Amino acid sequence: MKTYCIALVPGDGIGKEVIPAGQRILDALTSAEPSLHFRFEHFDWGGDYYRRHGVMMPSEGLDALRKHDAILFGSAGDPNIPDHITLWGLRLKICQGLDQYANIRPTRILPGIDTPLKHCKPEDLNWMIVRENTEGEYSGVGGRTHQGHPLEVATDLSVMTRAGVERILRFAFRLAQARPRKLLTVITKSNAQRHAMVMWDEIAAQVAAEFPEVHWDKELVDAATARMVNRPASLDTIVATNLHADILSDLAAALAGSLGIAPTANLNPERVYPSMFEPIHGSAFDIMGKGLANPIGTFWSIVLMLEHLGETSAAHRLMLAIEHVTANPRLHTRDLGGNATTPDVTEAMCALLTARTHRIHA
Ligand code: IPM
Ligand code: MG
C-alpha cells in the first residue's frame, strides 16, 4: 500500500473553502481504492499568519514542505495586505524555492460547460499551456529609487537565462510529443523585445532538432490572443514566458467557460523537490466565506497531482467524476450561471466517487 504525504496550504480567501473540499475528495477516492492512502499536514500560512508573525510563511517553511510528496495550494491574497507582499511571501517563494519551473495549465471545454466562442465545438479547444515559472518578468529583479520625487525610477527586470529557457522549452517539446497531435506553438514577442525573446526563438529552433516528430510554429503573443479566439483548433501545446502565459491562461480559462474550473500544476520535473497543485482562480474576496466558490478548479488540480504521483487510474476516475458533475447544470456554481454551492458540488463528487464508483467506470 502506498501512502502519500500531502501538504495542504489553503492560504487566503476561497482557498480556505476549496482546499478542505479537495481533502474530502481525496478521502472519498481512497475509500474506494484500498491501495491508496494520503496523510495530510496542514499549514496555516497566509494573511492571518502575516498579521501574527509579520511574514506569510516561516523561514523554515520550505524545509517543512520539502518532506512531502506534493503540495495542494489554495490561493494567496488578502484585502488588507499589498498583493506583492502576499504573492512574494508565499506562492512565489514556494515556486522559486522549490524550483517548480514548469507550470502547466490544461484547458478544455468540459461536458455541460458553455464557451463564449460562437462557432467552437468542445473538441476544438483542447490546449496545454506551459508557463515558464521561475524567471522572466517574475524574476523579482529591479528596484525603486528617489521615491516620491519627480525623478523617481522603478524597474522590473525580465531575466531570461539560457539554462532556464532551454529547460522549459525542452519540457514543452517533450509534453507536445506525448500528446496525440504532437503540435507545439512557441509564443514570444521577439519583434519588439529584441534580446531575450530572440534568444527564446533561437533556443526553440535548437531544441526542436531533438524532437523531429513534433510540428512546431512560432506566434507573437498579441497575435496569439486573436488566434485563440478565431482559430482555437489550430493550437494544442503552447509554451510562453511567465507573464505572457499568465495572461494567456486567464483568456484560455474564460474561453473554456470559467476561471473557476481551471487547474494548474507547478512542477519540479526532476522531482528533486515536491510539486505544487492549485486552482488558478485566486482568493476571490468578493465571494469568500459564502460557499459560492467553484471547487472544480481544485478537483482538476488534484487530477494533475495524481498523474504526477503516477496514480493514473485514480486520476482517471476523478476526472470522469468531474465530467459527470459539470454535465449536470443543477451542480453549476454561480460562476457558471447556476445556484449550486461549494458543499453541493463536493457532496455530489464524493457520492460519485464512493457509492456509484461502478457507474463511473461503466
Ligand atoms: C496565476 C495568478 C498569479 C500569477 C497571481 C495570483 C499573482 O494570476 O497563477 O496565474 O500571476 O502568477
Ligand atoms: Mg494568472
Side-chain angles (χ1 to χ4, degrees), residues 82-119:
D83 286 340
H84 64 277
I85 291 182
T86 54
L87 178 66
W88 279 96
L90 191 58
R91 186 176 169 275
L92 289 184
K93 190 171 169 148
I94 297 172
C95 290
Q96 288 194 347
L98 301 182
D99 204 19
Q100 295 162 347
Y101 67 85
N103 180 277
I104 57 166
R105 301 187 163 193
T107 311
R108 281 198 287 128
I109 301 172
L110 298 186
I113 305 295
D114 282 335
T115 168
L117 293 176
K118 259 190 272 162
H119 303 295

Side-chain angles (χ1 to χ4, degrees), residues 222-266:
D222 47 349
T225 59
R227 180 165 162 191
M228 285 165 76
V229 172
N230 295 331
R231 289 186 297 134
S234 73
L235 295 160
D236 187 75
T237 307
I238 295 166
V239 61
T241 71
N242 213 330
L243 180 63
H244 289 169
D246 174 45
I247 298 164
L248 294 178
S249 59
D250 266 29
L251 173 60
L255 295 176
S258 171
L259 236 78
I261 291 175
T264 192
N266 302 281

Side-chain angles (χ1 to χ4, degrees), residues 126 175-183 213-215 236-237:
N126 185 346
L175 193 58
Q177 180 162 269
R179 283 168 62 88
R181 294 178 68 194
K182 302 189 193 304
L183 185 64
E213 291 167 37
V214 175
H215 306 283
D236 187 75
T237 307

Side-chain angles (χ1 to χ4, degrees), residues 119-324:
H119 303 295
C120 178
K121 298 187 288 299
E123 59 272 24
D124 289 343
L125 198 165
N126 185 346
W127 301 330
M128 180 64 85
I129 300 179
V130 178
R131 172 180 181 183
E132 199 295 314
N133 212 33
T134 50
E135 56 176 35
E137 308 88 344
Y138 283 56
S139 67
V141 178
R144 283 175 79 172
T145 186
H146 305 301
Q147 281 195 40
H149 292 275
L151 41 65
E152 179 169 356
V153 182
T155 59
D156 276 296
L157 194 62
S158 172
V159 175
M160 308 277 185
T161 63
R162 173 168 279 274
V165 176
E166 214 174 284
R167 68 182 182 174
I168 195 65
L169 286 171
R170 192 165 283 121
F171 178 89
F173 270 97
R174 198 169 288 135
L175 193 58
Q177 180 162 269
R179 283 168 62 88
R181 294 178 68 194
K182 302 189 193 304
L183 185 64
L184 176 69
T185 301
V186 177
I187 293 179
T188 65
K189 187 67 189 173
S190 55
N191 54 348
Q193 296 182 302
R194 58 194 178 147
H195 306 296
M197 294 280 71
V198 173
M199 183 175 80
W200 264 71
D201 283 348
E202 286 169 13
I203 295 175
Q206 286 159 13
V207 174
E210 300 167 23
F211 298 89
E213 291 167 37
V214 175
H215 306 283
W216 73 287
D217 64 354
K218 292 189 286 186
E219 192 71 85
L220 297 172
V221 64
D222 47 349
T225 59
R227 180 165 162 191
M228 285 165 76
V229 172
N230 295 331
R231 289 186 297 134
S234 73
L235 295 160
D236 187 75
T237 307
I238 295 166
V239 61
T241 71
N242 213 330
L243 180 63
H244 289 169
D246 174 45
I247 298 164
L248 294 178
S249 59
D250 266 29
L251 173 60
L255 295 176
S258 171
L259 236 78
I261 291 175
T264 192
N266 302 281
L267 300 175
N268 174 255
E270 290 73 26
R271 296 166 191 266
V272 175
Y273 304 105
S275 295
M276 178 161 76
F277 302 83
E278 55 170 340
I280 81 163
H281 51 57
S283 38
F285 302 120
D286 50 329
I287 58 162
M288 76 180 183
K290 297 180 181 161
L292 297 175
N294 190 345
I296 296 290
T298 297
F299 301 161
W300 195 350
S301 301
I302 293 174
V303 171
L304 300 180
M305 181 177 95
L306 292 167
E307 283 169 353
H308 181 73
L309 294 173
E311 296 296 339
T312 42
S313 90
H316 184 62
R317 206 149 60 79
L318 180 53
M319 197 67 221
L320 286 178
I322 289 171
E323 294 184 359
H324 253 71

